[in-house]
Amino acid sequence: QVQLVESGGGLVQAGGSLRLSCSASGRTFSNYIIGWFRQAPGKEREFVALISWSGGATRYADSVKGRFTISRDNAKNTVYLQMNSLKPEDTAVYYCAASRGLAVTTTPSRYDYWGQGTQVTVSS
């Protein structure tokens, strides 16, 4: 079992930045692929970014590529999502999730553990 807690959300103006954190406890954190997803009102949950267990592989949704950066510190059991040049369409609840799978995946159903989410609101 892995427990995930997101933090760092808030209200920011368009063009601003936020850094989200995903802190984990429980089983060995470094064994898991960690993904960030988001869900806006009335929309399905969508993939944002992921990072492999070693941090050597990352993947981003096209909509955030070049603006968001995912990183992890296994010693601190924490994954970060640095979000720059934020846009109103980035407004959503952001979730981190952990996957025990061997292959990276952008499919939410392939993730085994989820945090409670943190709200990000970008004003125009």
Side-chain angles (χ1 to χ4, degrees), residues 5-109:
V5 178
E6 302 95 336
S7 61
L11 173 64
V12 64
Q13 288 188 331
S17 298
L18 284 173
R19 188 177 80 157
L20 305 184
S21 298
C22 173
S23 298
S25 60
R27 290 186 178 269
T28 306
F29 177 71
S30 59
N31 290 345
Y32 293 84
I33 296 164
I34 302 297
W36 283 98
F37 295 81
R38 66 188 182 187
Q39 188 166 19
K43 295 187 176 181
E44 292 188 353
R45 192 167 297 189
E46 66 173 359
F47 166 75
V48 175
L50 65 82
I51 189 165
S52 64
W53 64 270
S54 68
T58 58
R59 189 174 296 178
Y60 298 91
D62 288 342
S63 60
V64 308
K65 204 171 293 184
R67 299 188 297 123
F68 290 11
T69 303
I70 190 170
S71 61
R72 70 189 295 164
D73 185 339
N74 286 339
K76 296 182 178 180
N77 284 0
T78 303
V79 170
Y80 304 98
L81 185 68
Q82 178 67 43
M83 306 187 297
N84 298 328
S85 302
L86 283 162
K87 305 175 181 180
E89 50 264 43
D90 294 319
T91 295
V93 177
Y94 283 70
Y95 300 89
C96 67
S99 170
R100 294 172 295 184
L102 297 178
V104 295
T105 176
T106 63
T107 305
S109 62

Side-chain angles (χ1 to χ4, degrees), residues 100-119:
R100 294 172 295 184
L102 297 178
V104 295
T105 176
T106 63
T107 305
S109 62
R110 299 289 181 90
Y111 285 76
D112 305 288
Y113 306 103
W114 291 82
Q116 82 291 346
T118 185
Q119 176 71 46

